[in-house]
Amino acid sequence: MSTAAPDVAAAGPARARDDRITLRFLTTPADTAAGGRSVAAGSVMEWIDKAGYACAVGWSAAYCVTAYVGNVRHRRPIAPGSLIEVQARLVHTGRSSMHVVVTVSSADVDTRVYTPATTCILIFVAKDADGRAQQVPSWEPRTRSDRVLAEGALLRIPARTEIKRLMREEEYTDATAAPRSILRFLVPPGVVNWGGKAHGGTVMRWIDESAYACAVGWMGKDPLADHAVAVYSGGIHFFAPVRIGDIVEVDSRLIHTSDRSMHVSTRVLTADPRSPHERTLTTLCLSVFAVPGEGGVALPVPFWEPVEAEDRRLNAHAREIIRLREDIVPIAASISLEP
């Protein structure tokens, strides 16, 4: 992540409960996207997961797993070499789950004025020593901003549940003519946590890399192809862990284009190398890519017309997801960690 350890500080010198956290660090060359113009969305996703995880562990005092990441809005690109501030705060608890809102801001090293760049919400589940869901302390809002974010978290649940159902029910086969990118590799030891499983942020980075390759591949030799950036990622559901030594397949497929955006569905599947054909679906995600133009207005992208029956069905599926997302309450990026 960075050459120096992040500065981790609770918001306020004497909080009785660890329900929020801030990480600060400087980007590294490894965080830069292809083309060198901005930080890769995959790096941002890793930062989001690390801050959210720290917040969830601080509240629950237990090992936690990422269950869901949604409403990831990349509002603007982050310049390489920027200072980064990642703020995470608890906004809702269930019996064993914790909803955490994360805001990623960046600043020029000269001005040190932080401006929000990405917002999202994550859901973590606390686990006991045997890997079973563990009850967490109940959280109650204490300030006006707490209440606003808590109400938003509850309002998002019905639409998120319906989107999860629709995404889980879709079938993906090889009966497709859609643009596609498939990455396959073994899970290396360097990306796993103490439980021998890949970090959620690492999986999201893989998703971004595969989806980016799919979007750029569709644009082909267009000189603006490498300018494509992720502007939204949603419905990132984690169904099963990715373990060290697993074979991983990250399968991204273009399923819809609008005049100025490309919608890419990505599935992460794993298998034991000894039984490579017995695959398990671990993660689902739908990403939206665009090509920024002058003034931040997205430029036109090539239109994709689905031909095969499966492609037409998935295209309709994407449009239904877009409709449902219109009902999701946006996260207020301007609400700070302070009361």
Side-chain angles (χ1 to χ4, degrees), residues 125-296:
V125 175
K127 300 285 187 176
D128 63 18
D130 297 319
R132 295 183 295 238
Q134 174 178 309
Q135 187 169 354
V136 301
S138 178
W139 177 86
E140 297 294 335
R142 294 173 291 154
T143 67
R144 182 192 66 81
S145 62
D146 281 351
R147 288 190 291 273
V148 169
L149 289 169
E151 290 168 3
L154 291 173
L155 290 172
R156 281 187 287 271
I157 291 175
R160 184 176 66 242
T161 301
E162 178 64 7
I163 288 172
K164 178 180 180 180
R165 183 188 68 81
L166 290 174
M167 292 180 67
R168 192 74 188 267
E169 289 179 353
E170 281 301 330
E171 183 180 4
Y172 290 76
T173 73
D174 290 328
T176 176
R180 196 172 176 186
S181 171
I182 302 176
L183 308 180
R184 292 189 182 94
F185 48 89
L186 288 174
V187 180
V191 303
V192 299
N193 55 29
W194 294 111
K197 301 163 187 173
H199 295 284
T202 299
V203 177
M204 290 191 287
R205 186 182 189 112
W206 297 339
I207 288 171
D208 177 69
E209 290 170 348
S210 179
Y212 172 82
C214 181
V216 170
W218 168 241
M219 294 190 67
K221 295 186 181 298
D222 188 312
L224 295 175
D226 65 354
H227 290 227
V229 295
V231 295
Y232 184 90
S233 296
I236 309 175
H237 298 282
F238 295 85
F239 301 113
V242 177
R243 295 181 173 86
I244 183 172
D246 279 351
I247 297 174
V248 174
E249 179 177 284
V250 189
D251 187 348
S252 296
R253 182 187 303 190
L254 186 71
I255 62 173
H256 175 70
T257 58
S258 68
D259 291 342
R260 300 174 186 272
S261 64
M262 296 167 283
H263 297 242
V264 179
S265 177
T266 300
R267 300 181 306 145
V268 180
L269 303 104
T270 62
D272 187 313
R274 295 165 294 186
S275 305
H277 300 296
E278 298 175 8
R279 301 186 303 171
T280 299
L281 176 66
T282 70
T283 317
L284 285 174
C285 177
L286 187 58
S287 306
V288 181
F289 285 79
V291 179
E294 292 293 330

Side-chain angles (χ1 to χ4, degrees), residues 63-88:
Y63 172 73
C64 298
V65 296
T66 311
Y68 169 81
V69 181
N71 206 29
V72 185
R73 297 183 181 273
H74 301 283
R75 302 172 186 274
R76 62 174 182 81
I78 296 175
S82 297
L83 288 168
I84 301 298
E85 179 178 83
V86 190
Q87 298 176 312

Side-chain angles (χ1 to χ4, degrees), residues 1-8 24-28:
M1 291 281 298
S2 77
T3 54
D7 171 21
V8 181
R24 297 187 186 96
F25 49 89
L26 186 69
T27 67
T28 70

Side-chain angles (χ1 to χ4, degrees), residues 17 19-20 59 90-93 137-143 146-147 150:
R17 299 179 296 176
D19 64 351
R20 57 198 70 192
W59 179 258
L90 198 67
V91 298
H92 177 68
T93 54
S138 178
W139 177 86
E140 297 294 335
R142 294 173 291 154
T143 67
D146 281 351
R147 288 190 291 273

